[in-house]
């Protein structure tokens, strides 16, 4: 149980393109989803927290107009990297949690984004 | 105060040996301490977790030891196998506070034959 599916697993696109990444909870309802960014050989850096039906809460230093997050249903959240540039190249990972805070977060397998 | 310090940064253990990874925290409001295992190109997977009302939790070859007074916790992998080679992250969360996971810096574990 507690499977989180992330799509696509890898995307390569040209500078200036907008890229959408999907995060789905397959067998549970995710009241809260989180988006992380991970640089090579580094820990996960939280970008934003989203609750279903609400606006996402962004961490300090994360541009909300650059990284658009939508959590329209209890099983789907999307991250759109708008007008992506090479410095946005990274490994993006989502996680999902059901119910109250004492439930563990379950992670997707990440999306490797490469901007040429 | 939100930091979780993790050591060592990398660890090489012989097959069959015990791998030990340590973490320390400052925020006494943390009340849930999970460990995640991450293979290259994959997302972290929850391995084992502990709450501060117990001093030890064991699941198969994986054991968490928790010292509340010292604000330290550690992961022990018994009979380490090559398939355990991965990066391990400790984490902490205040479930009834801001509910964000605070991750350690990670330990790259390599099990050699």
């Amino acid at each position: 149980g507690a499977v989180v599916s992330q799509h696509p697993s890898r995307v390569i696109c040209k500078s200036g393109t907008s890229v959408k990444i999907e995060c789905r909870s397959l067998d549970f309802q995710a009241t809260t989803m989180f988006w992380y960014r991970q640089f090579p050989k580094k820990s996960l850096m939280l970008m934003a927290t989203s609750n279903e039906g609400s606006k996402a809460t962004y961490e300090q230093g994360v541009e909300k107009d650059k990284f658009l997050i939508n959590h329209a249903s209890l099983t789907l959240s999307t991250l759109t990297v708008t007008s992506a540039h090479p410095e946005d190249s990274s490994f993006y990972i989502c996680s999902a949690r059901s119910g109250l805070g004492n439930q563990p977060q379950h992670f997707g397998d990440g999306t490797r984004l490469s901007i040429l | 105060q939100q930091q979780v310090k993790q050591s060592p940064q990398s660890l090489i253990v012989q097959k069959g040996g015990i791998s030990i990874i340590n973490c320390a925290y400052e925020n006494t409001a943390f009340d849930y301490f999970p460990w995640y295992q991450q293979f290259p190109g994959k997302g972290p997977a929850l391995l084992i977790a502990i709450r501060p009302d117990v001093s030890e939790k064991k699941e198969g070859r994986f054991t968490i030891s928790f010292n509340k007074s010292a604000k330290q916790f550690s992961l022990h992998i018994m009979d380490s196998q090559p398939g355990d080679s991965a990066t391990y992250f400790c984490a902490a969360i205040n479930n009834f506070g801001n509910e964000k996971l605070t991750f350690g810096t990670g330990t790259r574990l390599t099990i050699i034959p």
Side-chain angles (χ1 to χ4, degrees), chain B residues 57-110:
Chain B
K57 183 174 182 181
K58 184 177 181 179
E59 290 184 0
R61 295 185 295 111
F62 302 92
T63 300
I64 300 178
S65 297
F66 189 86
N67 185 330
K68 188 174 181 178
S69 60
K71 292 184 284 186
Q72 296 175 346
F73 58 110
S74 60
L75 175 69
H76 296 233
I77 306 175
M78 312 299 287
D79 187 26
S80 299
Q81 299 296 313
D84 297 330
S85 297
T87 299
Y88 292 81
F89 293 96
C90 63
I93 189 170
N94 175 5
N95 271 323
F96 295 100
N98 62 17
E99 302 180 359
K100 300 177 191 177
L101 274 172
T102 299
F103 281 93
T105 49
T107 297
R108 179 171 287 191
L109 174 65
T110 303

